[in-house]
Amino acid sequence: MSILTDTGFPPTFLNRYIVSELKHYELIAESEGLVPMVPAIMPTNIEDLYNDSIQIRQTESPLLIVYDRLMRFRPTPFYSHKREQLIYFIYSSDAGKLIDAIRVISNALDREDASAQDINSYNFLNPLLKVSSPPITFSAKNISNKALTGTFATITTSTAHGLLEGDAVEITGVMTGSPATLDARFNGIQYVTDVPSATTFKFKKDSAYVGNVASTAASGSILKKESTPFNIAFHSTRVYQADESRDVAELASARTLFVNKLIVEYDYHVSVDSDSRYT
């Protein structure tokens, strides 16, 4: 069966990385449930949308980012290498917050890092969960063994886990030390990176948990989670300040808000199965 998410949609992963950076610098509250990223295809009045955002997010002078996909092309004959642009219209009633947001986005993305390591690592270490309608139910499996080599962890289950590479899995109840405490090196929601056998799988942890744990008997459980596969590999990213920002500010719908415009250009390729409809 063909799955639409397998075709890859870069804005989804680029935007959630930007939201995480804005939260890091407290320009978006960690408690805010509404993501302030709105696709431009939604017909709406900016002032109405902004005022609704204030009520829903229960915060003064929030950030609102409306984004649109500008263009898409192939810069080289190598078929899988693609390049496209996003345009961010950034709104706030607080000029200082708007300027700070521009600084964060520019510093995070205008890196010319050929591997786009920060974006790729964030998305790989933070699976994008979803819920189908009706929800898909998975059965929990008991853990029998754990091991850690560098930043790669290995979990062994007492029965077949049923996982595939790229699946998201929630690990809970793995303990360490005496008195026993939850082991942050293993617990959490992760993407599976390798499946050596029907009862073992591997995943990558954040560099904060680098180390070695010899293969040891363990307790706890795993539960497969519905997720959108992170099948995008970003390459270099660049940010341009749009000169027309003053023209945008003249729009009647934005006269009570400060606004700026950034263009983000990025290279990427999509990892797809060999039997995918699109390659």
Side-chain angles (χ1 to χ4, degrees), residues 81-149:
H81 182 189
K82 301 172 184 177
R83 177 176 296 165
E84 61 185 49
Q85 294 178 337
L86 284 183
I87 183 169
Y88 286 157
F89 294 92
I90 309 170
Y91 300 91
S92 181
S93 57
D94 183 335
K97 181 178 288 188
L98 179 72
I99 293 171
D100 289 343
I102 293 168
R103 289 179 61 186
V104 169
I105 295 173
S106 297
N107 288 334
L109 296 181
D110 199 19
R111 303 283 296 277
E112 285 291 353
D113 174 9
S115 65
Q117 181 176 349
D118 291 342
I119 304 173
N120 290 324
S121 293
Y122 173 80
N123 282 289
F124 191 79
L125 294 170
N126 295 274
L128 178 57
L129 303 183
K130 64 179 182 180
V131 178
S132 298
S133 182
I136 300 174
T137 302
F138 300 102
S139 299
K141 307 293 183 181
N142 291 326
I143 295 172
S144 60
N145 199 278
K146 66 179 182 181
L148 179 67
T149 303

Coordinates of all heavy atoms in Angstrom, one line a residue, residues 81-149:
H81 N 18.6 15.2 -5.9 CA 19.0 16.4 -5.2 C 18.0 17.5 -5.7 O 17.9 17.8 -6.8 CB 20.4 16.8 -5.6 CG 20.9 18.0 -4.9 ND1 22.1 18.6 -5.3 CD2 20.4 18.8 -4.0 CE1 22.3 19.7 -4.6 NE2 21.3 19.8 -3.7
K82 N 17.3 18.1 -4.7 CA 16.3 19.1 -5.0 C 16.6 20.4 -4.2 O 17.3 20.3 -3.1 CB 14.9 18.6 -4.6 CG 14.6 17.3 -5.4 CD 13.2 16.7 -4.9 CE 13.0 15.4 -5.7 NZ 11.7 14.8 -5.2
R83 N 16.1 21.5 -4.7 CA 16.3 22.7 -4.0 C 15.0 23.5 -4.0 O 14.3 23.5 -5.0 CB 17.4 23.6 -4.6 CG 17.6 25.0 -4.0 CD 18.7 25.7 -4.6 NE 20.0 25.0 -4.3 CZ 21.1 25.2 -5.0 NH1 21.2 26.1 -6.0 NH2 22.2 24.5 -4.7
E84 N 14.6 24.1 -2.9 CA 13.4 24.9 -2.9 C 13.5 26.0 -1.9 O 14.4 26.1 -1.1 CB 12.1 24.0 -2.7 CG 12.1 23.3 -1.4 CD 10.8 22.4 -1.3 OE1 10.6 21.6 -2.3 OE2 10.1 22.4 -0.3
Q85 N 12.5 26.9 -1.9 CA 12.5 28.0 -1.0 C 11.1 28.1 -0.2 O 10.1 27.8 -0.8 CB 12.7 29.3 -1.8 CG 14.0 29.4 -2.4 CD 14.2 30.7 -3.3 OE1 13.2 31.3 -3.7 NE2 15.4 31.1 -3.5
L86 N 11.2 28.6 1.0 CA 10.1 28.9 1.8 C 10.1 30.4 2.0 O 11.2 31.0 2.2 CB 10.0 28.2 3.1 CG 9.6 26.7 3.2 CD1 9.6 26.3 4.6 CD2 8.3 26.5 2.6
I87 N 9.0 31.0 2.1 CA 8.9 32.4 2.5 C 8.2 32.5 3.8 O 7.1 31.9 3.9 CB 8.2 33.3 1.4 CG1 8.2 34.8 1.8 CG2 6.8 32.8 1.1 CD1 7.8 35.7 0.7
Y88 N 8.8 33.2 4.7 CA 8.2 33.4 6.1 C 7.7 34.8 6.2 O 8.5 35.8 6.1 CB 9.2 33.1 7.2 CG 9.5 31.7 7.4 CD1 10.7 31.3 8.0 CD2 8.6 30.7 7.1 CE1 11.0 30.0 8.3 CE2 8.9 29.3 7.3 CZ 10.1 29.0 8.0 OH 10.4 27.7 8.2
F89 N 6.4 35.1 6.4 CA 5.9 36.3 6.8 C 5.7 36.3 8.3 O 4.9 35.5 8.9 CB 4.5 36.6 6.2 CG 4.6 36.8 4.7 CD1 4.3 35.7 3.9 CD2 4.8 38.0 4.1 CE1 4.4 35.8 2.5 CE2 4.8 38.2 2.7 CZ 4.6 37.1 1.9
I90 N 6.5 37.1 9.1 CA 6.6 37.0 10.5 C 5.9 38.2 11.1 O 6.2 39.3 10.8 CB 8.0 36.9 11.0 CG1 8.8 35.8 10.2 CG2 8.1 36.6 12.5 CD1 10.3 35.8 10.5
Y91 N 4.9 37.9 12.0 CA 4.1 39.0 12.5 C 4.2 39.0 14.1 O 4.3 38.0 14.7 CB 2.6 38.8 12.2 CG 2.3 38.8 10.7 CD1 2.3 37.7 10.0 CD2 2.0 40.0 10.0 CE1 2.0 37.7 8.6 CE2 1.7 40.1 8.7 CZ 1.7 38.9 8.0 OH 1.4 38.9 6.6
S92 N 4.1 40.2 14.6 CA 4.0 40.4 16.1 C 3.6 41.8 16.4 O 4.0 42.7 15.6 CB 5.3 40.0 16.8 OG 5.1 40.1 18.2
S93 N 2.9 42.0 17.5 CA 2.6 43.4 17.9 C 3.8 43.9 18.8 O 3.8 45.1 19.2 CB 1.3 43.4 18.7 OG 1.4 42.5 19.8
D94 N 4.8 43.1 19.0 CA 6.0 43.5 19.8 C 7.2 43.5 18.8 O 7.7 42.5 18.3 CB 6.2 42.4 20.9 CG 7.4 42.8 21.8 OD1 8.3 43.6 21.3 OD2 7.5 42.3 22.9
A95 N 7.7 44.7 18.5 CA 8.7 44.9 17.5 C 10.0 44.2 18.0 O 10.7 43.6 17.2 CB 9.0 46.4 17.3
G96 N 10.3 44.2 19.3 CA 11.5 43.6 19.8 C 11.4 42.1 19.6 O 12.4 41.4 19.2
K97 N 10.3 41.5 19.9 CA 10.1 40.0 19.7 C 10.3 39.6 18.2 O 10.9 38.6 17.9 CB 8.8 39.6 20.3 CG 8.5 38.1 20.1 CD 7.2 37.6 20.7 CE 7.2 37.7 22.2 NZ 6.0 37.1 22.8
L98 N 9.8 40.5 17.3 CA 9.9 40.2 15.9 C 11.3 40.2 15.5 O 11.8 39.3 14.8 CB 9.1 41.3 15.1 CG 9.1 41.1 13.6 CD1 8.3 40.0 13.1 CD2 8.6 42.4 12.9
I99 N 12.1 41.2 15.9 CA 13.5 41.3 15.6 C 14.3 40.1 16.1 O 15.1 39.5 15.5 CB 14.1 42.6 16.1 CG1 13.5 43.8 15.3 CG2 15.6 42.6 15.9 CD1 13.8 45.1 15.8
D100 N 14.0 39.7 17.4 CA 14.6 38.6 18.0 C 14.3 37.3 17.2 O 15.2 36.4 17.0 CB 14.2 38.4 19.4 CG 14.8 39.5 20.3 OD1 15.7 40.2 19.9 OD2 14.2 39.7 21.4
A101 N 13.1 37.1 16.8 CA 12.7 35.9 16.0 C 13.5 35.9 14.7 O 14.0 34.8 14.3 CB 11.2 35.9 15.7
I102 N 13.7 37.0 14.0 CA 14.4 37.0 12.8 C 15.9 36.6 13.0 O 16.5 35.9 12.3 CB 14.4 38.5 12.2 CG1 12.9 38.7 11.7 CG2 15.3 38.6 11.0 CD1 12.7 40.2 11.3
R103 N 16.4 37.1 14.2 CA 17.8 36.7 14.5 C 17.9 35.2 14.7 O 18.9 34.6 14.3 CB 18.3 37.5 15.7 CG 18.5 39.0 15.5 CD 18.9 39.7 16.8 NE 20.1 39.1 17.3 CZ 20.7 39.5 18.5 NH1 20.0 40.3 19.3 NH2 21.8 38.9 18.9
V104 N 17.0 34.7 15.5 CA 17.0 33.2 15.7 C 16.9 32.4 14.5 O 17.7 31.5 14.2 CB 15.9 32.8 16.7 CG1 15.8 31.3 16.8 CG2 16.2 33.4 18.1
I105 N 16.0 32.7 13.6 CA 15.8 32.0 12.4 C 17.0 32.1 11.5 O 17.4 31.1 10.9 CB 14.5 32.5 11.7 CG1 13.2 32.2 12.5 CG2 14.4 31.8 10.3 CD1 12.0 32.7 12.0
S106 N 17.5 33.3 11.4 CA 18.7 33.5 10.5 C 19.9 32.8 11.0 O 20.6 32.1 10.3 CB 19.0 35.0 10.4 OG 17.9 35.7 9.8
N107 N 20.1 32.9 12.3 CA 21.3 32.2 12.9 C 21.1 30.6 12.8 O 22.1 29.9 12.6 CB 21.5 32.6 14.3 CG 22.0 34.0 14.5 OD1 22.7 34.5 13.6 ND2 21.7 34.7 15.6
A108 N 19.9 30.2 13.0 CA 19.7 28.7 12.9 C 19.8 28.1 11.5 O 20.3 27.0 11.4 CB 18.3 28.4 13.5
L109 N 19.4 28.9 10.5 CA 19.3 28.3 9.2 C 20.4 28.9 8.2 O 20.7 28.2 7.2 CB 17.9 28.6 8.6 CG 16.8 27.9 9.3 CD1 15.5 28.3 8.6 CD2 16.9 26.4 9.4
D110 N 20.9 30.0 8.5 CA 21.9 30.6 7.5 C 23.3 30.1 7.9 O 24.2 30.8 8.3 CB 21.9 32.1 7.5 CG 22.5 32.7 6.3 OD1 22.7 32.0 5.3 OD2 22.9 33.9 6.3
R111 N 23.5 28.8 7.8 CA 24.7 28.1 8.3 C 25.7 27.7 7.2 O 26.9 27.5 7.4 CB 24.3 26.9 9.1 CG 23.4 27.2 10.3 CD 24.1 27.9 11.4 NE 25.1 27.0 12.0 CZ 24.8 26.0 12.9 NH1 23.6 25.9 13.3 NH2 25.8 25.2 13.4
E112 N 25.2 27.4 6.0 CA 26.0 26.9 4.9 C 26.7 25.6 5.4 O 27.8 25.3 5.0 CB 27.0 27.9 4.4 CG 26.4 29.0 3.5 CD 25.8 28.5 2.2 OE1 26.1 27.3 1.8 OE2 25.2 29.3 1.4
D113 N 26.0 24.9 6.2 CA 26.5 23.6 6.7 C 26.0 22.5 5.7 O 24.8 22.3 5.6 CB 25.9 23.3 8.1 CG 26.3 21.9 8.6 OD1 27.1 21.2 7.9 OD2 25.8 21.5 9.6
A114 N 26.9 21.9 5.0 CA 26.5 21.0 3.9 C 25.7 19.8 4.4 O 25.0 19.2 3.6 CB 27.8 20.5 3.1
S115 N 25.9 19.5 5.7 CA 25.1 18.3 6.2 C 23.9 18.7 6.9 O 23.1 17.8 7.3 CB 26.0 17.5 7.2 OG 26.4 18.3 8.3
A116 N 23.6 20.0 7.1 CA 22.5 20.5 7.9 C 22.3 19.7 9.1 O 21.2 19.2 9.5 CB 21.2 20.5 7.0
Q117 N 23.3 19.5 9.9 CA 23.3 18.5 11.0 C 22.3 18.9 12.1 O 21.6 18.0 12.6 CB 24.7 18.5 11.6 CG 24.9 17.5 12.7 CD 26.3 17.4 13.3 OE1 27.2 17.9 12.6 NE2 26.5 16.8 14.4
D118 N 22.2 20.1 12.4 CA 21.3 20.5 13.5 C 19.8 20.2 13.1 O 19.0 19.7 14.0 CB 21.4 22.0 13.8 CG 22.7 22.3 14.5 OD1 23.4 21.4 15.0 OD2 23.1 23.5 14.5
I119 N 19.4 20.5 11.9 CA 18.0 20.2 11.5 C 17.8 18.7 11.4 O 16.8 18.2 11.9 CB 17.7 20.9 10.1 CG1 18.0 22.4 10.1 CG2 16.3 20.6 9.7 CD1 17.9 23.0 8.8
N120 N 18.7 18.0 10.8 CA 18.5 16.6 10.7 C 18.5 15.9 12.0 O 17.7 15.0 12.3 CB 19.6 16.0 9.8 CG 19.4 16.4 8.3 OD1 18.3 16.5 7.8 ND2 20.5 16.6 7.6
S121 N 19.4 16.3 12.9 CA 19.5 15.6 14.2 C 18.2 15.9 15.0 O 17.7 15.0 15.7 CB 20.7 16.1 15.0 OG 21.9 15.7 14.4
Y122 N 17.7 17.1 15.0 CA 16.5 17.4 15.8 C 15.4 16.6 15.4 O 14.7 16.0 16.2 CB 16.2 18.9 15.7 CG 14.9 19.2 16.4 CD1 14.8 19.4 17.7 CD2 13.7 19.2 15.6 CE1 13.5 19.6 18.4 CE2 12.4 19.4 16.2 CZ 12.4 19.6 17.6 OH 11.2 19.8 18.2
N123 N 15.1 16.5 14.1 CA 14.0 15.8 13.6 C 14.1 14.3 13.8 O 13.2 13.6 14.1 CB 13.7 16.1 12.1 CG 13.0 17.4 11.9 OD1 11.9 17.5 12.2 ND2 13.8 18.4 11.4
F124 N 15.4 13.8 13.7 CA 15.6 12.4 13.9 C 15.4 12.0 15.4 O 15.0 10.9 15.7 CB 17.0 11.9 13.4 CG 17.2 10.5 13.3 CD1 16.6 9.8 12.2 CD2 17.8 9.8 14.3 CE1 16.8 8.4 12.2 CE2 18.0 8.4 14.2 CZ 17.4 7.7 13.2
L125 N 15.8 12.8 16.3 CA 15.7 12.5 17.7 C 14.4 12.9 18.3 O 14.1 12.6 19.5 CB 16.9 13.3 18.4 CG 18.3 12.8 18.1 CD1 19.3 13.7 18.7 CD2 18.5 11.4 18.5
N126 N 13.5 13.5 17.5 CA 12.2 13.9 18.1 C 11.1 13.5 17.1 O 10.7 14.3 16.2 CB 12.1 15.4 18.3 CG 13.1 15.9 19.3 OD1 12.8 15.9 20.5 ND2 14.3 16.3 18.9
P127 N 10.7 12.2 17.1 CA 9.7 11.7 16.1 C 8.5 12.5 16.1 O 8.0 13.0 17.1 CB 9.5 10.3 16.7 CG 10.7 9.9 17.4 CD 11.2 11.2 18.0
L128 N 7.9 12.7 14.9 CA 6.7 13.4 14.7 C 5.5 12.4 14.7 O 5.3 11.7 13.8 CB 6.7 14.1 13.3 CG 5.5 14.9 12.9 CD1 5.2 16.0 13.9 CD2 5.7 15.5 11.5
L129 N 4.8 12.5 15.9 CA 3.8 11.5 16.1 C 2.5 12.0 15.4 O 2.3 13.2 15.2 CB 3.5 11.3 17.6 CG 4.7 10.9 18.4 CD1 4.3 10.7 19.9 CD2 5.3 9.6 17.8
K130 N 1.6 11.0 15.1 CA 0.3 11.3 14.5 C -0.7 10.3 15.1 O -0.3 9.3 15.7 CB 0.4 11.2 13.0 CG 0.7 9.8 12.5 CD 0.7 9.8 11.0 CE 1.0 8.4 10.5 NZ 1.0 8.3 9.0
V131 N -2.0 10.6 14.9 CA -3.1 9.7 15.3 C -4.0 9.6 14.1 O -4.6 10.5 13.6 CB -3.8 10.3 16.5 CG1 -5.0 9.4 16.9 CG2 -2.9 10.5 17.7
S132 N -4.2 8.3 13.7 CA -5.1 8.0 12.6 C -6.5 8.1 13.1 O -6.8 8.1 14.3 CB -4.8 6.6 12.0 OG -3.5 6.6 11.5
S133 N -7.4 8.1 12.2 CA -8.9 8.0 12.6 C -9.5 6.9 11.8 O -9.6 6.9 10.6 CB -9.6 9.3 12.2 OG -10.9 9.3 12.6
P134 N -9.9 5.8 12.5 CA -9.7 5.6 14.0 C -8.3 5.3 14.3 O -7.5 4.9 13.4 CB -10.6 4.3 14.2 CG -10.6 3.6 12.9 CD -10.5 4.6 11.8
P135 N -7.9 5.5 15.6 CA -6.5 5.2 16.0 C -6.1 3.8 15.8 O -6.9 2.9 15.9 CB -6.5 5.6 17.5 CG -7.7 6.5 17.7 CD -8.7 6.0 16.7
I136 N -4.8 3.6 15.5 CA -4.2 2.2 15.4 C -3.7 1.8 16.7 O -3.0 2.6 17.4 CB -3.1 2.2 14.3 CG1 -3.6 2.6 12.9 CG2 -2.5 0.8 14.2 CD1 -2.6 2.7 11.9
T137 N -4.1 0.6 17.2 CA -3.7 0.1 18.5 C -2.5 -0.9 18.3 O -2.6 -1.8 17.5 CB -4.8 -0.6 19.2 OG1 -5.9 0.3 19.3 CG2 -4.4 -1.1 20.6
F138 N -1.5 -0.6 19.1 CA -0.3 -1.5 19.1 C -0.2 -2.2 20.5 O -0.6 -1.6 21.5 CB 1.0 -0.8 18.8 CG 1.0 -0.1 17.5 CD1 0.8 1.3 17.3 CD2 1.2 -0.8 16.3 CE1 0.8 1.9 16.1 CE2 1.2 -0.2 15.1 CZ 1.0 1.1 15.0
S139 N 0.4 -3.4 20.5 CA 0.6 -4.1 21.8 C 2.0 -3.8 22.4 O 3.0 -3.8 21.6 CB 0.5 -5.6 21.6 OG -0.8 -5.9 21.1
A140 N 2.0 -3.6 23.7 CA 3.3 -3.4 24.4 C 4.1 -4.7 24.4 O 3.5 -5.8 24.5 CB 3.1 -2.8 25.8
K141 N 5.4 -4.6 24.4 CA 6.3 -5.7 24.5 C 7.3 -5.5 25.7 O 7.7 -4.4 25.9 CB 7.1 -5.9 23.2 CG 6.3 -6.0 21.9 CD 5.4 -7.2 21.9 CE 4.6 -7.3 20.6 NZ 3.8 -8.5 20.5
N142 N 7.6 -6.6 26.4 CA 8.5 -6.4 27.5 C 10.0 -6.4 27.1 O 10.3 -7.1 26.2 CB 8.3 -7.6 28.5 CG 6.9 -7.5 29.2 OD1 6.4 -6.4 29.5 ND2 6.3 -8.7 29.5
I143 N 10.7 -5.7 27.8 CA 12.2 -5.5 27.6 C 12.9 -6.6 28.4 O 12.6 -6.7 29.6 CB 12.7 -4.1 27.9 CG1 12.1 -3.1 26.9 CG2 14.2 -4.1 27.8 CD1 12.3 -1.7 27.3
S144 N 13.9 -7.2 27.8 CA 14.7 -8.2 28.6 C 16.2 -7.8 28.7 O 16.9 -8.3 29.6 CB 14.6 -9.6 27.9 OG 15.1 -9.5 26.6
N145 N 16.6 -6.9 27.8 CA 18.1 -6.5 27.8 C 18.3 -5.1 27.3 O 17.5 -4.7 26.4 CB 18.8 -7.6 27.0 CG 20.3 -7.6 27.3 OD1 21.0 -6.7 26.8 ND2 20.8 -8.5 28.1
K146 N 19.3 -4.5 27.7 CA 19.7 -3.1 27.2 C 21.2 -3.0 27.0 O 22.0 -3.7 27.7 CB 19.2 -2.0 28.1 CG 20.0 -2.0 29.5 CD 19.5 -0.9 30.4 CE 20.3 -0.9 31.7 NZ 19.9 0.2 32.6
A147 N 21.6 -2.2 26.1 CA 23.1 -1.9 25.9 C 23.2 -0.6 25.2 O 22.3 -0.1 24.5 CB 23.7 -3.0 25.0
L148 N 24.4 0.1 25.4 CA 24.6 1.4 24.8 C 26.1 1.4 24.4 O 27.0 1.2 25.1 CB 24.4 2.5 25.8 CG 24.6 3.9 25.3 CD1 23.6 4.3 24.3 CD2 24.5 4.9 26.5
T149 N 26.3 1.8 23.1 CA 27.6 2.0 22.6 C 27.7 3.3 21.9 O 27.1 3.6 20.9 CB 28.0 0.9 21.5 OG1 27.8 -0.4 22.1 CG2 29.4 1.1 21.0

